Amino acid sequence: MIPYLGPLDAFPPAMSARADMGGLLAVGGDLSVPRLLDAYHRGIFPWGTIEGHPLWYSPDPRMVLFPEEFRLSRSLRRTLRSSTFSVRFDSDFAGVIAGCAAMPRPGQDGTWISPEMMAAYCHLHELGWAHSVEVYTEGNLVGGLYGLAIGRMFYGESMFARQRDASKVAFAHLIRQLSTQQIALIDCQMRTEHLASLGGREIPRAEFLAHLRTLTADAAAHGPWPTSTGGGEW
């Protein structure tokens, strides 16, 4: 049986998640900042709701990307060197999460990013935990991604593209930004071919949790990122 969390109930161990249900661990609780930060520290994330109650997951295996394994293809390098896109950080978090919520997903009926989820992550952004990468063409937001930076971990939540390669451009700029902060691991949660093409791979949950304990041991520093992506050649 899947545990139901009351307001004061702690999460069960991540290793008790149901493999036959995609890593579902628990239902209930809330989307408060303390609850969300506690979840991420434990290798747990919310993915949708049922009757307004958050669904909490910890899948096995876990899709991750080590920044040094990022695959920068020649075609993406050409795109990054062109003037097709401009990129900014933390300048329109609400626009990015709304773009992710509106993006059709193959095999998904609707979006898991509910208004309650949007409000919760916007609050995390205001507090300096959640960040966005925005991609523009002629001043129009055409792609981006968002997630949380805790210690030396980045937890990727979602990305979207209204124009070809826009989400890949966002990801490349994310990698560059994370390198300046000595981020050692990106949590990609679930496997997708898009993430695999960028260098993501699956590791056992136990290995992921071991990385997590080390990389979030010092998680005090947080705050907004500079809006400019800085210079440098691709």
Side-chain angles (χ1 to χ4, degrees), residues 138-188:
E138 298 179 350
N140 298 311
L141 183 65
V142 296
L145 60 83
Y146 75 97
L148 277 71
I150 301 177
R152 297 179 60 218
M153 283 284 306
F154 185 83
Y155 301 82
E157 279 298 316
S158 189
M159 61 175 65
F160 80 102
R162 299 185 183 122
Q163 190 167 323
R164 182 181 174 86
D165 287 339
S167 63
K168 290 183 178 181
V169 167
F171 202 87
H173 279 272
L174 172 70
I175 294 291
R176 176 174 281 183
Q177 170 65 15
L178 297 183
S179 69
T180 69
Q181 300 179 327
Q182 298 184 313
I183 298 291
L185 185 62
I186 301 172
D187 176 21
C188 301

Side-chain angles (χ1 to χ4, degrees), residues 12 56 72 155-156 215 226:
W56 301 95
L72 180 57
Y155 301 82
L215 297 175

Side-chain angles (χ1 to χ4, degrees), residues 126-146:
E126 292 166 0
L127 296 174
W129 294 105
H131 303 278
S132 61
V133 184
E134 303 99 29
V135 181
Y136 299 90
T137 296
E138 298 179 350
N140 298 311
L141 183 65
V142 296
L145 60 83
Y146 75 97

Side-chain angles (χ1 to χ4, degrees), residues 37-115:
L37 293 179
D38 183 49
Y40 285 106
H41 275 92
R42 296 173 183 272
I44 302 163
F45 60 88
W47 192 25
T49 59
I50 182 168
E51 297 181 353
H53 302 293
L55 302 171
W56 301 95
Y57 284 80
S58 184
D60 186 20
R62 189 79 163 224
M63 188 73 168
V64 301
L65 191 146
F66 294 88
E68 65 272 16
E69 296 180 2
F70 172 59
R71 295 176 189 158
L72 180 57
S73 66
R74 283 182 291 180
S75 61
L76 179 55
R77 191 186 298 273
R78 285 195 298 269
T79 300
L80 289 162
R81 287 174 171 174
S82 73
S83 58
T84 305
F85 301 109
S86 61
V87 180
R88 294 175 68 83
F89 299 134
D90 283 356
S91 60
D92 189 5
F93 186 90
V96 168
I97 196 169
C100 292
M103 194 71 184
R105 310 284 177 178
Q108 294 184 22
D109 183 14
T111 180
W112 59 269
I113 306 175
S114 65

Side-chain angles (χ1 to χ4, degrees), residues 192-234:
T192 69
E193 290 305 314
H194 180 60
L195 290 168
S197 73
L198 296 172
R201 58 184 171 93
E202 291 179 316
I203 63 174
R205 180 173 52 212
E207 181 181 341
F208 173 76
L209 294 175
H211 283 298
L212 195 65
R213 285 189 290 272
T214 300
L215 297 175
T216 60
D218 181 11
H222 64 280
W225 289 352
T227 56
S228 172
T229 61
E233 291 295 323
W234 292 99

